Amino acid sequence: ERTESGNDFTETLTRAKFEELNVDLFRKTMKPVEQVLKDTIFTDDINEIILVGASTPSHIPKPEVQQLLKECFGKEPSNGIDPDEAVAYGAAVRGGILSGDEILGDVVLVDV
C-alpha cells in the first residue's frame, strides 16, 4: 500500500510476531465454539473436530487457532479433509435429512 506521501510501506513479520499481534482475535474465535458446546446436548458424542477453510491456500488454520481448539476439546483437530468435499458432504447430508432419507438413521446435523 502507498502511504499519503506516496511511499511504499512494507513490514516483515515472523509467525510468532503475527500470532502475538493477533492473539486476542484468535481467542475471540473460540466464543462461537464455546456457545455451540453449551447449546448441544451431544458434547460427549463428539468424536472428531474437523477444520475446514482458512485464509491460506492450503486451507490449514493458523497454529494458534488449532492450539486453542485442542485445549477446548482435549484432542487434536483434524485438517486433512478437502474443504470442497466437506461442503459437498454436508450438503448431501442436509438434503437427505430434508427429504426424509431413512439411510441416515438418527444423524443429527447442527448448523453453527
Side-chain angles (χ1 to χ4, degrees):
E1 292 288 322
R2 289 201 181 266
T3 61
E4 254 182 64
S5 60
N7 297 322
D8 287 340
F9 174 79
T10 61
E11 179 68 29
T12 303
L13 293 176
T14 63
R15 178 178 292 275
K17 185 64 174 177
F18 174 81
E19 290 178 358
E20 177 188 332
L21 293 170
N22 289 285
V23 69
D24 291 337
L25 294 173
F26 293 144
R27 291 189 204 285
K28 284 182 183 178
T29 65
M30 294 307 295
K31 289 190 188 305
V33 172
E34 291 165 356
Q35 187 61 49
V36 167
L37 290 175
K38 287 179 188 174
D39 291 348
T40 186
I41 58 174
F42 304 109
T43 55
D44 293 338
D45 294 334
I46 296 173
N47 298 317
E48 188 173 13
I49 310 305
I50 301 172
L51 304 179
V52 178
S55 60
T56 63
S58 62
H59 302 292
I60 299 174
K62 303 291 182 232
E64 178 69 20
V65 174
Q66 291 184 39
Q67 182 60 36
L68 290 170
L69 288 167
K70 180 180 177 181
E71 290 169 10
C72 182
F73 290 99
K75 56 181 83 176
E76 287 286 338
S78 172
N79 56 25
I81 295 177
D82 180 274
D84 294 331
E85 288 180 23
V87 170
Y89 180 79
V93 170
R94 171 62 79 195
I97 290 170
L98 292 173
S99 70
D101 194 329
E102 293 179 13
I103 198 166
L104 293 172
D106 61 354
V107 169
V108 176
L109 185 64
V110 179
D111 291 328
V112 294

